[in-house]
């Protein structure tokens, strides 16, 4: 892909880019479909329930049926809604969620774009989804949707700050914003992975990442018990599906980014295991992070809004700032 970028852009190259974009979209859609299924099965297992087991063998077609149902449902727009913004909001929410995946390196040869500022690209685009959620809540002309959108704005701004600051330690250790260079800096065994010297940054990033996803225990923008369904209460059919799709695409993106930044990316935990394909190691680490997100949803209750904001500003932000000084001290000791 990168060699094509170095050549002059032709219709052939454009067709190749379009083809790989469609392939990546299909992979993401497949992940979302079965991430929902596995989440329901994992939560059911943890809470001593059965989970989906009727539609298809072992219930494997339940998510497919749910997606099909959303696609054929009637698309309704409230009469007094801001029509243009109401239609645009799900698109603004989803597109950044998909485009951030362009900079994720899955192996040393399997990646879409090798940007020198890949980490900055990810952070910059991921914040745009907040605008879509706010617009969806405001354009719906519904007080519960508006409250959900306002909560989302407050939550995402509050947790975006410690999330970004928590990765500064990784940037200091690797000396680059390029995600491939960050992974290459962790070669040689798990003792070189960043999660060991960056354990504080790792914990802060994981908690802030879950909050950015609006997932339990931080799902205040769509708290069913308080706001009916939050910012997307007036959405139905495929527009509602776009919001759900964006959430699970961000699960894919955040889990991939944690794997790249802190868990060595495609590198094996021990050098003698390098014969195993790199994509296998990436998928194992990625799956573990996704499982942990499902685990949190199955076991933790929703926090109050004051607890949510207090955790971000009073605990995570000071820890993220302290991590920078800890990293500087660590680099001084080992140098």
């Amino acid at each position: 892909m990168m060699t094509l970028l170095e050549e002059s852009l032709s219709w052939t190259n454009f067709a190749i880019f379009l083809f790989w974009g469609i392939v990546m979209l299909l992979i993401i859609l497949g992940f979302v479909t079965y991430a929902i299924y596995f989440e329901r099965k994992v939560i059911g297992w943890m809470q001593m329930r059965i989970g989906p087991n009727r539609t298809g063998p072992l219930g494997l077609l339940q998510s497919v049926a749910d997606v099909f149902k959303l696609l054929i449902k009637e698309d309704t727009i409230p009469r007094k809604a801001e029509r243009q913004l109401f239609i645009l909001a799900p698109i603004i929410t989803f597109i950044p969620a998909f485009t951030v995946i362009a900079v994720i390196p899955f192996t040393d040869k399997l990646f879409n774009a090798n940007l020198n500022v890949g980490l900055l690209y990810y952070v910059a685009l991921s914040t745009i989804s907040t605008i879509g959620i706010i617009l969806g809540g405001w354009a719906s002309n519904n007080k519960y949707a508006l409250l959900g959108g306002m909560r989302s704005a407050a939550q995402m701004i509050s947790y975006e700050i410690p999330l970004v600051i928590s990765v500064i330690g990784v940037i200091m250790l690797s000396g680059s914003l390029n995600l491939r260079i960050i992974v290459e800096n962790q070669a040689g065994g798990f003792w070189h992975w960043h999660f060991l010297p960056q354990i504080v940054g790792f914990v802060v990033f994981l908690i802030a990442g879950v909050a950015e996803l609006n997932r339990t225990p931080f799902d205040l923008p769509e708290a069913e018990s308080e706001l009916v369904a939050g910012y997307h209460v007036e959405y139905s059919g495929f527009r509602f599906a776009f919001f759900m799709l964006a959430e699970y695409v961000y699960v894919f993106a955040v889990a991939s980014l944690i794997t790249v930044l802190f868990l060595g990316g495609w590198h094996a935990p021990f050098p003698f295991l390098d014969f195993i394909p790199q994509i296998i190691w990436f998928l194992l680490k990625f799956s573990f992070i996704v499982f942990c997100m499902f685990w949190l949803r199955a076991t933790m209750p929703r926090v109050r809004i004051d607890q949510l904001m207090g955790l971000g500003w009073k605990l995570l932000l000071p820890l993220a700032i302290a991590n920078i000084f800890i990293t500087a001290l660590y680099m001084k000791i080992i140098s």
Side-chain angles (χ1 to χ4, degrees):
M1 294 291 288
M2 294 309 299
T3 55
L4 291 173
L5 284 174
E6 294 170 359
E7 301 173 2
S8 59
L9 186 62
S10 64
W11 285 108
T12 303
N13 291 347
F14 174 77
I16 294 173
F17 288 135
L18 182 62
F19 170 76
W20 282 112
I22 294 172
V23 169
M24 183 57 67
L25 179 61
L26 293 176
I27 292 173
I28 297 300
L29 292 177
F31 165 81
V32 170
T33 301
Y34 283 98
I36 297 171
Y37 168 80
F38 283 111
E39 179 172 20
R40 295 173 67 181
K41 293 296 280 189
V42 166
I43 294 176
W45 170 63
M46 289 184 173
Q47 298 177 348
M48 298 185 70
R49 296 184 288 104
I50 296 175
N53 69 334
R54 296 290 181 180
T55 310
L58 302 176
L60 284 169
L61 296 180
Q62 182 63 58
S63 294
V64 177
D66 291 341
V67 171
F68 181 70
K69 177 190 71 174
L70 286 174
L71 293 177
I72 64 174
K73 283 185 70 173
E74 180 183 6
D75 175 38
T76 60
I77 299 178
R79 182 180 302 170
K80 294 185 178 181
E82 188 70 35
R83 185 179 180 87
Q84 288 77 16
L85 294 179
F86 186 88
I87 294 172
L88 194 60
I91 301 172
I92 294 176
T93 302
F94 169 72
I95 290 179
F98 178 66
T99 52
V100 295
I101 297 171
V103 294
I104 301 292
F106 303 103
T107 71
D108 60 351
K109 303 240 180 351
L110 183 59
F111 59 92
N112 292 299
N114 184 26
L115 298 184
N116 288 331
V117 289
L119 186 54
L120 181 62
Y121 169 90
Y122 179 98
V123 171
L125 279 185
S126 63
T127 56
I128 298 177
S129 293
T130 309
I131 300 174
I133 292 175
I134 297 171
L135 284 179
W138 181 80
S140 297
N141 194 27
N142 178 296
K143 63 181 179 180
Y144 295 112
L146 179 59
L147 283 172
M150 292 171 63
R151 279 186 176 186
S152 177
Q155 177 175 327
M156 288 189 163
I157 291 171
S158 299
Y159 280 84
E160 188 77 27
I161 296 171
L163 182 135
V164 173
I165 295 177
S166 66
V167 301
I168 293 178
V170 172
I171 297 170
M172 292 168 65
L173 289 175
S174 57
S176 175
L177 288 166
N178 187 309
L179 293 177
R180 290 187 70 233
I181 293 177
I182 291 174
V183 176
E184 290 166 359
N185 191 57
Q186 302 174 72
F190 75 89
W191 50 92
H192 294 294
W193 296 356
H194 288 153
F195 86 94
L196 289 173
Q198 287 294 300
I199 188 64
V200 176
F202 173 69
V203 173
V204 171
F205 189 91
L206 181 61
I207 296 173
V210 174
E212 284 284 295
L213 296 171
N214 291 335
R215 291 178 59 84
T216 307
F218 306 113
D219 58 339
L220 272 298
E222 49 183 285
E224 296 89 348
S225 58
E226 306 163 32
L227 303 178
V228 186
Y231 60 89
H232 52 58
V233 66
E234 296 289 357
Y235 283 88
S236 62
F238 74 96
R239 299 190 202 281
F240 172 80
F242 261 85
F243 281 117
M244 293 298 98
L245 181 61
E247 177 183 324
Y248 279 92
V249 172
Y250 268 125
V251 168
F252 181 97
V254 169
S256 299
L257 193 62
I258 292 175
T259 301
V260 167
L261 294 178
F262 298 100
L263 300 181
W266 59 78
H267 293 300
F270 299 99
F272 67 85
L273 294 175
D274 285 341
F275 67 92
I276 298 176
Q278 295 176 346
I279 190 64
I280 300 298
W281 289 117
F282 186 94
L283 291 176
L284 286 173
K285 300 169 188 176
F286 167 85
S287 301
F288 172 74
I289 296 298
V290 172
F291 172 79
C292 288
M293 292 182 183
F294 295 167
W295 187 0
L296 287 175
R297 183 170 184 178
T299 56
M300 298 194 70
R302 179 182 297 129
V303 299
R304 297 195 314 264
I305 187 66
D306 59 311
Q307 295 171 330
L308 173 81
M309 302 303 288
L311 177 66
W313 289 106
K314 296 179 181 178
L315 181 62
L316 295 187
L317 181 58
L319 282 177
I321 295 173
N323 182 61
I324 298 176
F325 294 97
I326 294 171
T327 304
L329 182 62
Y330 170 79
M331 294 177 67
K332 181 66 176 177
I333 292 172
I334 65 173
S335 62

